[in-house]
Each structure stands twice: as C-alpha cells, then as structure tokens.
Amino acid sequence: MSVSFEPDHAASWYAATANPAAERPALEGEVECDVCVVGAGFTGISAALHLAERGLSVVVLEAVRVGYGASGRNGGQIVNSYSRDMDVIEAKYGAETARALGDMAFEGNRIIRERVERYAIDCDLTDGNLFAACNQKQLEGLREHQALWERYGYRELELLEGAALKREVNSDRYTGALVDHGGGHLHPLNLVLGQAAAVESLGGRIFEDSPVTGLEHGEPVVVTTANGQVRAERVVMAGNAYLKGVLPEIEGRSMPCGTQIITTEPLGEERARALLPNGLAVEDCNYLLDYYRLTRDNRLLYGGGVNYGGSDPADITAVIRPKMLKTFPQLADVAIDYAWSGTFLMTLNRLPQFGVVNGNVYYAQGYSGHGVTCTHLAGKLIAEVMHGQGERFDAFAGLPQLPFPGGRLLRVPLSAIGAWYYQTRDRLGI
C-alpha cells in the first residue's frame, strides 16, 4: 500500500478559521477495543460518535488530522437526499428500494443539527440553500424536483422566478431557482472537529498521524499502523477517497475526483449581502455544477469543476475565478485570499456504497458529491447494524456496486468523455 499525504490540513479558509484543537498522538503499541474506525472524516467520526453513545469502546485511526480530507475541505452545504434522487432510484431499483432510501433522504440533515445542538458545536450553522436553474429545461426539472420531494413528505421547498429570484441571488445567470428552507450551510471542518471532541468526551480514542498499513481479517480484526496495532471485534473503513490498498475488495468500484474552491478577500457586509441578500448557499443545476455561499466574515466562497482521478490543476484560482465572474461580474476587482482542492469519491451509479466484508469489517463510501448529509446518516446506520438493526443499512448495501468500465486504466478518460457530453448539453440547454 502506498498513499502520500500532506503533513497537515490544506491551506484553506477553513483551516485558517478552525476552532482550536490539540493535535492527537500517533498510535504506539497495541490497543484493544470493540470497534476500530479507519478515517476521521464525517463518516468515521459520525460512526464513532453513534457507537460511543451506545457504550462501545472506540478507537479512531487518522492518517493525518481529523477532517483532513473532503470533510474539512468541501463547500459546506447541507444538501438533502443523494446525488441521484428517488425517481432515478425507483426507475432503476424499484419502488421498495426508493421508499426505503426516500424515508432516510432528509435524516442526515436532522442528525447534523441534533449534533450541533447537543454538543454545542460552533460551526457557523446557517439555514437555507438554493438550487439555481441556468435554463428553462433546468427550471422545469426543479418543478419536478419539488413535486418529488413533496411525495416523500418534505415541504420546505419554494420555487422562485423573476424578481423573487433576484432578491436571493443578484446574478443575471439564472432562469429560476428552488429554495430549500430546511437546508443550510456551515463550516465543515469545525463541525467534524466538534464531533471528534464529543467522541473523546465519551471515552473514544483518536490517533492522528497513524495511516493504516495493513488489515488482517479474523476475530478479532488486527489493524496495523507504522508503530502500532489495534485489535478490534469490528472495524469501520471510512477512508473514502483516501483509502488505498487496505481493502482492495472495494477499491475498483469507485473513482477519486477532485474539486476546487476559492475564497475572496472580505467584501464587507454591504457588498456581500448585495450578492446573496439572505445568505443562502447556492448550487446550480449543471452536470459540472458551481456552488457558493458567504462566510461568516463576509467572503464569497466559490467552488466548481471536477478533475477525474483526483489530480489538482496547476492554478486553482485561474480555473475557478472565471466561473465566479461569470456569476458575479461585479467582483472583477476582488482579490482571492484562499484557493484549495479536495478529493471526493464517485461511484458509477452516483449512489453511496455500504457493505460488510468477512462479517465484521463494515464500510461506507462514495457519496458522489452529497457527502455532508449522507455521511452523518451512514454513521448512524453503521451503529444500528452493529446492534442488530440492519434493515436500513441493508437498503443501501443491497444497491449494485458496479466497477467502472475499463477498470482503473480507463475509468478516468471514459468518465471525462461522459462529463464532456453532459457539459455540452448544459451549455446548449438540452
């Protein structure tokens, strides 16, 4: 196994404004526990917290820092449902599967809010997000989206056109929008740091600078790092895009992808609110979408684009700034203070992959761009299945986990060709 990491967090606005957190020690020697969690991002920390709340002894192994990967670098948007919505799930996998997943589509959002309240986590939690249509076809899609979510009992959506839209987003780029009043946005690194502290308050142990070098199946499972071992009755593999060579059974079923974010200099409250008067987070409806929001210090945080395979562009600002100016040309004079990238894991069907290997090694991965909420749901479902309540976990585990066509060699170029096709459709409005 060979994985390279930077020694600390990416040089992001999130890292620059993170709440104080002491570095945890690296694992030394041998420890025992009920559950060993590999990866201290949202999936791993959510699972660890749910398990610790149920009284299990938990050890978390993190290769670098808590929240080092996508959980500490993403757009910070609380977006409900999955990367493929319930109508697609029903068409491909049947009404029963769609009902099961639909019943959980808004639960990750609720879990986040409950965690923030219970453990008093300071993470800039703000209500409201917005899906923006770039053409008439996308607007009709949003009407259908609203009707679909209402079929599943969710009634927090509001369709906007004309002047009502300009009161939320001061851009000429959009035809209409759908506001999710029950969604929101937050500081994701502070969220995961706060939940990690909650794990430790319940007796859980977190070791940083402890990349996993091997996993020996059995009873117990033995998880090895450079200087230590964890002997655990059960293991949760939550490395997502950063898990490589430890559990090869699941690696070929997904592909790491990179996305980039920039953050402007502080705009001042008046100028910031002129862009997004009510502080909603925004994402457009394109296949390769843009997403953005205001930060607590009145910067615009703007992201977009996908690099298949997870590689970084040579100049992130040069890639993302033109996207920002297409949406807000009034920011042409504004400096960019931060630019960073992050890697998420995409699956072929764009649905998350849950499962169990050899009876006691659990995994959840591949949220395909909808990880903030679904990771928190995954942690709860992992705790449930370990306590004999497996119906909801099994609803995800029963979804097909297909390899990318062409295997590792061709999955990147073939995905790029597919993305070019859909991007062309977006530009033509068809």
Side-chain angles (χ1 to χ4, degrees):
M1 185 191 69
S2 176
V3 184
S4 61
F5 297 100
E6 296 297 324
D8 213 328
H9 287 290
S12 67
W13 177 81
Y14 296 134
T17 57
N19 295 331
E23 291 186 9
R24 281 89 176 177
L27 178 66
E28 300 280 349
E30 185 173 299
V31 299
E32 296 184 357
C33 61
D34 295 325
V35 183
C36 176
V37 177
V38 178
F42 282 148
T43 300
I45 293 297
S46 175
L49 185 52
H50 281 287
L51 291 164
E53 287 173 336
R54 289 173 176 253
L56 296 182
S57 62
V58 180
V59 168
V60 181
L61 300 177
E62 165 55 40
V64 187
R65 300 281 175 265
V66 171
Y68 169 84
S71 300
R73 307 187 192 201
N74 63 75
Q77 300 201 20
I78 302 174
V79 180
N80 288 300
S81 192
Y82 317 107
S83 190
R84 289 291 178 266
D85 224 331
M86 278 80 73
D87 55 341
V88 176
I89 296 170
E90 182 172 353
K92 289 189 174 182
Y93 309 116
E96 183 177 349
T97 298
R99 280 194 298 272
L101 270 60
D103 287 344
M104 296 182 274
F106 311 99
E107 189 169 348
N109 183 347
R110 295 194 295 269
I111 292 169
I112 291 170
R113 293 173 184 277
E114 186 274 335
R115 284 341 197 183
V116 170
E117 181 176 0
R118 178 186 296 191
Y119 295 105
I121 299 173
D122 179 10
C123 61
D124 305 339
L125 178 59
T126 304
D127 291 333
N129 58 21
L130 179 149
F131 306 100
C134 298
N135 54 55
Q136 194 63 36
K137 181 185 177 183
Q138 291 180 357
L139 180 58
E140 291 307 311
L142 289 178
R143 295 184 198 277
E144 295 169 1
H145 184 94
Q146 181 178 19
L148 176 66
W149 281 16
E150 288 179 351
R151 276 179 49 203
Y152 285 86
Y154 191 78
R155 303 189 180 280
E156 298 291 329
L157 301 177
E158 179 185 4
L159 196 70
L160 303 179
E161 298 181 73
L165 172 60
K166 289 299 281 286
R167 286 195 292 269
E168 298 295 348
V169 185
N170 187 16
S171 174
D172 295 327
R173 189 174 177 185
Y174 306 119
T175 304
L178 188 64
V179 176
D180 181 359
H181 294 287
H185 56 94
L186 45 69
H187 190 304
L189 181 55
N190 280 339
L191 175 62
V192 71
L193 289 172
Q195 291 183 87
V199 170
E200 292 170 322
S201 75
L202 298 174
R205 291 172 287 175
I206 301 174
F207 297 96
E208 296 181 322
D209 292 315
S210 300
V212 170
T213 57
L215 186 150
E216 181 182 333
H217 294 278
E219 296 182 6
V221 185
V222 180
V223 185
T224 304
T225 68
N227 297 304
Q229 284 188 342
V230 180
R231 300 173 67 85
E233 293 181 11
R234 287 166 286 190
V235 169
V236 177
M237 303 304 294
N240 211 42
Y242 295 86
L243 183 65
K244 186 175 181 182
V246 182
L247 199 62
E249 295 95 323
I250 65 175
E251 282 186 29
R253 306 172 190 173
S254 56
M255 178 173 61
C257 297
T259 185
Q260 296 80 46
I261 296 176
I262 59 175
T263 307
T264 67
E265 64 183 329
L267 303 176
E269 184 171 1
E270 182 177 356
R271 193 172 188 184
R273 291 294 170 175
L275 304 176
L276 297 166
N278 293 307
L280 299 182
V282 178
E283 66 175 64
D284 67 36
C285 297
N286 288 333
Y287 183 81
L288 298 181
L289 57 84
D290 288 4
Y291 51 92
Y292 51 90
R293 63 187 183 87
L294 297 175
T295 65
R296 67 168 181 246
D297 54 355
N298 292 310
R299 303 171 187 267
L300 183 69
L301 184 152
Y302 201 104
V306 173
N307 285 351
Y308 296 99
S311 60
D312 294 337
D315 187 340
I316 293 171
T317 298
V319 172
I320 304 300
R321 183 181 175 88
K323 297 175 181 288
M324 180 187 77
L325 295 180
K326 183 177 181 181
T327 306
F328 296 117
Q330 59 268 48
L331 298 182
D333 63 327
V334 169
I336 303 302
D337 279 357
Y338 299 92
W340 70 95
S341 64
T343 303
F344 65 95
L345 198 63
M346 185 173 70
T347 66
L348 188 62
N349 62 5
R350 306 300 193 269
L351 291 171
Q353 297 174 344
F354 291 20
V356 186
V357 177
N358 291 335
N360 58 358
V361 177
Y362 298 78
Y363 64 90
Q365 65 173 21
Y367 307 99
S368 302
H370 271 59
V372 174
T373 53
C374 197
T375 50
H376 286 81
L377 172 64
K380 184 176 182 180
L381 299 190
I382 288 168
E384 288 178 0
V385 72
M386 286 190 183
H387 283 79
Q389 303 164 319
E391 296 84 1
R392 302 201 313 153
F393 182 92
D394 290 344
F396 284 96
L399 294 171
Q401 298 180 15
L402 304 174
F404 276 82
R408 294 185 183 181
L409 181 64
L410 295 179
R411 64 183 177 179
V412 172
L414 289 178
S415 296
I417 291 169
W420 171 84
Y421 169 76
Y422 285 108
Q423 189 175 23
T424 300
R425 288 173 61 93
D426 287 338
R427 288 172 177 167
L428 296 176
I430 58 175

